[in-house]
Amino acid sequence: KIIVDPGIYIENLDFFGKTIKLKSTYQSQEDTLIISQTIIDAGYADHAIKLNSGEKNISISGFTIRNGIAGGGGAIYCGNNVTAEFNNLVIENNIASFGGGILSYHSSNLVLENINFIRNSCSEQSFGGAIAAYDSNIELVNCNFLENEASHGGAIYSAFSNIKITQTVFDDNYASQGGAIKSIYSSIELTNTLCTNNYAVSYGSIFHLDLSSNFDITNATFSNNNAKLSWGNIYIENNSQLDITNSIIWENIGIDIF
C-alpha cells in the first residue's frame, strides 16, 4: 500500500504487473478537499496511469487525475485481464481517441465508485468521452458524468461488454451518436439513475443501442435531453432490446424513443 500526501504530482505511472494499492490520505481523514488537493497530473504527455500487464486487485482511491492524453485511456488505461477498483476520484480534462477518461480492454474487470468524470473528451471519430469498454465487465456506483464529449458515446462507449450502473448522473454530455451512452453487442443495466441535458447530433441524445445490445432500465429519470436534430432521445436499432421499468421520461426535446 502506498499513501500519498496532498500535492501536485506530474506523473505517467505504469504498474508493470505489480499489485499496488495507491491511496491519498482521504480515507484516514475523511475530508473531501483532499481529493482535489492530491493530484496526479499527466502533463499531456501520456496516460496518467497504465495497467497493461494483467495486474490484479489494484486499488486507487482519493485523487484528482487530470491532463492525460493517449490513443486510449487518457487518464487510466486498463488492458489484458486487469482487475481493479477505483473510488473517490475526480477524473477531469483528459483526452484520447478511445476512452478520454478510462479505457477498459481485453477481459478487464473494473469497479468504479464515487467518481466524478468531468470534461473528458475524445478526438474526431472517437469513442467514449469518459469511458470506453471493449470486452470488459464494469460496475459503476454513485458516479457523475458531467460535460464529457465524443463522436460515439459522450460519456460511455461499450462494445462486447457488460456494464452495471447504479445511482449515477449523466448531465450535459455530448456526442454525434449516443449523448450519454452508445452500445454495440453489449448488455447494460441501469438503476436509480438520472440523465439530463444530454445532446446528440444524429442518433440518441441519451442512448444509442446498436447491434444486438440489451438495456435494462429501472427507476431512472430522463429529462431535458435534446434530440431536436437527432433520431430520438433513445434510439434503438439492429436487433437491440430495451426494457424500462418504473422510470420517468419527461420534458425532453424531440421523439423520446425511436
Side-chain angles (χ1 to χ4, degrees), residues 60-129:
I60 298 174
S61 176
F63 296 91
T64 293
I65 304 175
R66 70 186 189 190
N67 298 340
I69 186 168
I76 303 173
Y77 179 95
C78 301
N80 295 318
N81 299 289
V82 166
T83 61
E85 294 185 2
F86 305 118
N87 58 73
N88 300 307
L89 301 175
V90 175
I91 296 177
E92 63 179 3
N93 298 325
N94 300 282
I95 302 170
S97 296
F98 299 89
I102 295 175
L103 173 61
S104 180
Y105 183 69
H106 194 190
S107 301
S108 290
N109 295 275
L110 308 182
V111 176
L112 312 176
E113 187 170 2
N114 300 325
I115 299 179
N116 293 330
F117 294 88
I118 304 171
R119 290 185 298 276
N120 301 285
S121 62
C122 288
S123 54
E124 187 176 352
Q125 292 303 313
S126 55
F127 302 83

